[in-house]
Amino acid sequence: MRIGIDEEVCVLGLGYVGLTLAVAMADAGFRVQGIEIREQVLSLLAEGKAHFFEPGLENRLARVIRSGHFTARKTIPENYNGTVFIVTVGTPLGADGHSRLDMVESVAREVSSRLKDGDLLIMRSTVKLGTTRKIVVPILQASGKRFDLAFCPERTLEGKALTELRQLPQIVGGDTEAASIRASQLFNRLTPTVVRVSDIETAEMIKLIDNASRDVAFAYANEVARACDAVGISAVEVIQAGKLGYPRTNLPMPGPVGGPCLEKDPHILAEGLAERGMAPAITLAARRLNEDQPSEVVRFLKELAGSLDGFPARPTIALLGIAFKGRPATDDLRGTMARPVLDALRQAFPQARLRGYDAVVAPAEIERFGLEPAPTLEAAMDGASLALILNNHPAFSAADPELLVQPMTRPAILYDFWNTFYEHRFHMPEGTRYIALGSHGKPVLPESISS
């Protein structure tokens, strides 16, 4: 273990995880060298701009660039004198449904070519169980250098990353006790609480279990919604009334489950366990249920639309909320459930005009997503026969549902994946209908609609 404090850090991969970590560390006094192969990202960073939305990020980014504590380039400099390398590259699922590790292997080789005796490598990318020891270690060992190694998973929430990096406990799993102590000392400069675990594999598992357990909890809430749809009662009422003042029930609300972690991490967990002869049945069932939800809802909407006299063969359909979540606000489209909803709508309504609105995502990104961008929420609703609220951004809950549907054609359907207006007492205008997930048989106080 190197004596003294590691002051100079190299962060490899400046996506959401890497850039927020790099800026937080630079803001805490580290000298941070960021590495990113995407030229567009580097060009924006040269202007002091981030390539994604995160509250407070650009102000801090500009500050640490001005102070000289953060720089970004495409490759690790040949004469790099830093003592710590942190791997934060992405590990998306490939077309075959298996986790891609090519980026992890690539950066491990790059680090190996610059490794010095006594350096510390920290794995932060979410990986299949055993990846650090089976793939990364042999690549580093080929350098012939002595090194410390730890796995310290990323655990922040998009929209709160800069705050949570300074507050959340940091999990540290070292290959040796010395490596664990060293990585703990590093992260203690960011957060007051470090949780040291027995080994690298335990730290790898914690990250995957954290996200898989959330996916399972949301899946059960969505199963409750399916059950209540079948019975003709409100899932929201069942959930909220059932847990009010009752400490042994803590169900979340139903809704779309996606994003850059939940849509892939259960699969990564299952892949690693399959190699050890174990299939996580509950994890996989929960993921399938959450993945099936968009097509199930669209089938319901197709049947409902077909029962309405005058519903057009070529409807305008508005998708409201394209980012994978709305609270905290983000413009992240990775793993957004708007994608499978859009795909299902194209199958169900092949002649539809498809329009999109998001309070944060740029219109150009909405267009690249495959939708006609609407500049405002009101413009998105204008002339639509069907509108779907897909995330929980405050722009939707701030709207008056009775006014929201006014610009729609008749008959009109407003479908709400998030039960945005459950607490409201309202009457829908004639010829319109509001339906929320988990209340398919019990729409909220509708007035008459042609059928």
Side-chain angles (χ1 to χ4, degrees):
M1 181 176 68
R2 184 183 298 271
I3 297 174
I5 298 175
D6 296 303
E7 294 284 350
E8 198 163 348
V9 174
C10 180
V11 176
L12 295 108
L14 297 178
Y16 184 86
V17 173
L19 186 58
T20 52
L21 176 66
V23 169
M25 294 188 80
D27 208 28
F30 290 95
R31 293 188 299 277
V32 181
Q33 173 67 70
I35 304 298
E36 174 57 56
I37 62 173
R38 291 172 292 178
E39 295 286 358
Q40 182 182 13
V41 174
L42 290 173
S43 296
L44 286 170
L45 290 173
E47 300 173 9
K49 298 178 181 178
H51 59 287
F52 55 85
F53 172 78
E54 177 70 17
L57 179 61
E58 286 207 345
N59 287 339
R60 295 196 196 186
L61 175 62
R63 182 166 69 234
V64 296
I65 289 174
R66 285 195 305 269
S67 69
H69 281 259
F70 174 75
T71 55
R73 55 182 295 161
K74 196 167 188 177
T75 59
I76 304 172
E78 289 187 18
N79 60 346
Y80 183 66
N81 292 319
T83 56
V84 180
F85 298 91
I86 305 179
V87 175
T88 60
V89 295
T91 54
L93 298 180
D96 59 359
H98 293 154
S99 55
R100 285 179 49 194
L101 297 174
D102 51 304
M103 288 179 279
V104 169
E105 293 184 41
S106 178
V107 297
R109 291 192 182 94
E110 185 174 2
V111 170
S112 182
S113 70
R114 297 287 186 264
L115 203 62
K116 305 176 296 298
D117 278 329
D119 283 351
L120 168 64
L121 175 75
I122 294 175
M123 284 291 297
R124 199 163 179 82
S125 300
T126 303
V127 296
K128 181 176 65 174
L129 295 166
T131 295
T132 305
R133 200 175 301 280
K134 293 179 181 178
I135 293 178
V136 176
V137 168
I139 292 173
L140 298 183
Q141 287 176 335
S143 70
K145 300 295 194 297
R146 294 178 291 101
F147 59 89
D148 287 328
L149 179 68
F151 191 93
C152 305
E154 175 273 330
R155 309 172 82 198
T156 56
L157 181 70
E158 289 198 28
K160 294 184 177 180
L162 296 177
T163 298
E164 291 194 341
L165 280 165
R166 303 306 297 266
Q167 294 179 352
L168 285 182
Q170 174 62 60
I171 300 294
V172 173
D175 189 34
T176 63
E177 184 176 5
S180 182
I181 293 171
R182 184 177 177 186
S184 297
Q185 290 175 336
L186 184 87
F187 280 105
N188 263 143
R189 293 182 62 183
L190 277 184
T191 179
T193 307
V194 170
V195 181
R196 290 172 53 195
V197 296
S198 301
D199 47 38
I200 287 170
E201 287 76 14
T202 300
E204 287 177 336
M205 179 69 98
I206 287 173
K207 168 64 176 181
L208 295 171
I209 292 299
D210 279 350
N211 284 338
S213 66
R214 292 175 61 222
D215 198 42
V216 169
F218 293 140
Y220 189 69
N222 284 331
E223 184 163 271
V224 172
R226 294 169 76 186
C228 292
D229 284 338
V231 174
I233 59 179
S234 166
V236 176
E237 185 175 9
V238 167
I239 292 171
Q240 290 187 343
K243 67 183 180 182
L244 183 63
Y246 187 70
R248 288 179 290 283
T249 298
N250 192 27
L251 269 177
M253 292 286 285
V257 187
C261 294
L262 298 192
E263 58 98 20
K264 69 180 179 70
D265 289 3
H267 289 296
I268 295 175
L269 172 63
E271 183 184 350
L273 292 174
E275 294 175 359
R276 292 159 172 81
M278 186 267 179
I282 293 174
T283 299
L284 290 172
R287 185 85 297 265
R288 284 193 296 270
L289 191 150
N290 287 333
E291 289 172 351
D292 288 345
Q293 184 192 67
S295 58
E296 290 179 356
V297 168
V298 171
R299 280 197 300 271
F300 164 76
L301 291 172
K302 175 66 174 176
E303 291 175 6
L304 176 60
S307 72
L308 301 180
D309 184 27
F311 195 90
R314 298 181 178 180
T316 294
I317 301 177
L319 279 68
L320 312 176
I322 311 304
F324 84 90
K325 67 173 182 176
R327 296 175 189 250
T330 180
D331 61 353
D332 197 344
L333 299 178
R334 294 175 300 163
T336 175
M337 295 304 280
R339 171 58 64 195
V341 168
L342 175 58
D343 292 343
L345 287 170
R346 282 182 169 141
Q347 290 286 327
F349 302 93
Q351 300 183 71
R353 176 186 180 186
L354 295 161
R355 185 185 290 162
Y357 168 78
D358 192 282
V360 181
V361 178
E365 289 298 320
I366 294 176
E367 189 170 13
R368 277 191 283 272
F369 195 79
L371 295 166
E372 175 189 325
T376 64
L377 180 55
E378 292 74 17
M381 303 296 285
D382 189 24
S385 300
L386 172 62
L388 299 90
I389 298 177
L390 297 175
N391 75 23
N392 56 344
H393 192 278
F396 305 131
S397 57
D400 182 330
E402 298 178 46
L403 297 178
L404 186 62
V405 300
Q406 286 291 354
M408 299 181 74
T409 60
R410 304 293 188 268
I413 303 167
L414 174 60
Y415 187 85
D416 185 1
F417 273 93
W418 287 92
N419 284 272
T420 307
F421 305 116
Y422 175 75
E423 297 294 342
H424 294 227
R425 297 288 297 179
F426 61 90
H427 291 266
M428 297 295 287
E430 184 175 354
T432 68
R433 189 169 182 178
Y434 170 80
I435 303 174
L437 180 68
S439 298
H440 288 184
K442 189 179 181 181
V444 177
L445 297 177
E447 291 293 333
S448 61
I449 183 169
S450 299
S451 59

